[in-house]
Amino acid sequence: MKLLAIDTATEAMSVALHDASTVCAHRFELIGRGHAERVLPLVQEVLAEQGWALSDLTALAVGRGPGAFTGVRIGISVAQGLAYGLGIPVVGVSDLEAVAVGALELAAASGIAAGAVLVAMDARMGELYAGYYRVRAGGQLDPQFEALCRPEDLPGRIQTSGPLVLAGHGFAAYPMLRETIGGAVGCFEGALPEARFLARMAVAVLREGGAVPAHRLEPVYLRDDVATRSVRSPG
């Protein structure tokens, strides 16, 4: 397996390569704007570093959202174009869950044992993209919901089970959330989705036969669906 992962859903942009055993090359840039112009050169950089050609790739992964509308569309379009051209399958990965995976890594590095992760990303217009994940044995995530909600409504959606880690810039935009959500043992408000985490998640999905052809890849915006959304665990 030679997997390329791409994420352009937020103010950051990242790409990563995974060789079925580990992430072997990755780039992360806090770019703000200009994702469309920068993403393919960044892909070429990691391929050159690893000594791979595009034709060597056997699968793609992409952050499917939620996130900035334009950013999500860029990532989906690039992944579809590459997958069509190369004739390889693609995996769409939740950007919220990628933030949760990254937060677990940050928590472990800080000596924090988490029983659950709550991700809150600022969705503008007084709303949040929120995802809640319980941590199973072995560190796998058990997704409970992903939803668009108002900050004041989020605490009522959470049923904590063990130490809770908070992640995402929604907690910087709405700092009162830290006080109203009980059981929190750590907050990583700077956490953003990264392609290296998407890659790890996508490999698990690929091993389960969960990849799709390029034409079936769909973005997830959540803004058109304010109901709680259940998601499938990749673990």
Side-chain angles (χ1 to χ4, degrees), residues 95-116:
D95 279 283
L96 293 176
E97 191 164 353
V99 173
V101 171
L104 274 185
E105 186 171 287
L106 290 170
S110 301
I112 298 172

Side-chain angles (χ1 to χ4, degrees), residues 180-234:
T180 55
I181 295 174
V185 294
C187 181
F188 302 98
E189 64 183 36
L192 291 166
E194 295 188 39
R196 60 192 176 111
F197 302 130
L198 269 70
R200 281 169 25 194
M201 297 158 65
V203 166
V205 175
L206 283 162
R207 287 173 175 159
E208 294 177 357
V212 299
H215 71 273
R216 289 184 52 200
L217 181 63
E218 295 285 346
V220 172
Y221 299 119
L222 291 185
R223 195 168 294 282
D224 295 327
D225 180 6
V226 297
T228 297
R229 182 185 293 239
S230 297
V231 292
R232 174 180 176 274
S233 169

